[in-house]
Amino acid sequence: MKKKIVMNRDRVFSIGMAVVSLLVMAATTQIKPTFNAVSGSDPGSKAFPFAVAVLLLLSSIGKFITCGKPDERPFVAGREGWLKIAAVVGLLLAYTFLLQYVGFLLCTFLGTALLLLLMRGDRPIRPVTYVLYPGLLTAVLYLLFHTVLQVILPVGLLWKSILP
């Protein structure tokens, strides 16, 4: 007897993430090497996003294989669910656009706080969490990218006009 594949939200999500990972893998071929004058090639600028995309693809395949239970609730809960999805996509687009104007620190802090507000659902969250979680996440990301990986993060035109 042939077992039927149950399409549930986890499997739909895993298919979407697999497609995104394949697109990222294809996009890494367009990355120009940063330090090609020294050795003729720069594995870091292509290798890191490609490796992350491969891990995402493997995770997506694993998730697709291991989740076979049908959903207990609908994938998107009607109009409210679609509005929440639209709001999250709008927030991410606004974050991407405003990053160069507002800067990494402020934009990431405010974006994370708004994302937390959108994604909380029916769960009550204490007001201090809206400050602590975005603050800690922004600080960790800043330390990781700016200090450890030495990535130049956008300061923002707002800060450039205030700071000397």
Side-chain angles (χ1 to χ4, degrees):
M1 177 181 234
K2 200 171 191 180
K3 189 174 180 180
K4 184 179 177 185
I5 293 179
V6 175
M7 288 306 287
N8 57 20
R9 72 181 80 196
D10 289 333
R11 286 197 167 151
V12 170
F13 181 75
S14 65
I15 290 170
M17 288 298 100
V19 169
V20 167
S21 66
L22 292 172
L23 290 172
V24 169
M25 283 184 215
T28 57
T29 62
Q30 304 300 316
I31 296 175
K32 304 275 189 270
T34 308
F35 301 109
N36 62 353
V38 177
S39 65
S41 67
D42 175 24
S45 54
K46 289 184 179 183
F48 182 73
F50 189 82
V52 170
V54 168
L55 290 174
L56 180 61
L57 179 63
L58 293 174
S59 302
S60 300
I61 293 169
K63 185 69 173 171
F64 186 87
I65 292 170
T66 59
C67 59
K69 291 171 48 179
D71 290 333
E72 296 173 7
R73 294 175 286 142
F75 182 62
V76 178
R79 181 186 166 126
E80 182 180 324
W82 286 109
L83 287 174
K84 188 178 285 191
I85 290 171
V88 169
V89 169
L91 175 65
L92 294 175
L93 289 172
Y95 175 83
T96 305
F97 176 75
L98 292 174
L99 195 58
Q100 63 184 336
Y101 300 109
V102 179
F104 176 81
L105 292 174
L106 187 58
C107 201
T108 302
F109 179 82
L110 293 175
T112 304
L114 289 172
L115 191 61
L116 183 63
L117 182 67
L118 283 170
M119 300 302 291
R120 71 181 169 97
D122 296 338
R123 296 178 304 265
I125 296 178
R126 294 183 301 181
V128 70
T129 305
Y130 288 111
V131 175
L132 285 180
Y133 180 74
L136 287 173
L137 182 67
T138 302
V140 167
L141 289 175
Y142 181 80
L143 289 173
L144 175 68
F145 284 101
H146 184 71
T147 307
V148 176
L149 298 174
Q150 296 185 352
V151 173
I152 298 171
L153 298 170
V155 176
L157 298 175
L158 176 69
W159 293 112
K160 283 182 184 178
S161 65
I162 295 173
L163 300 174

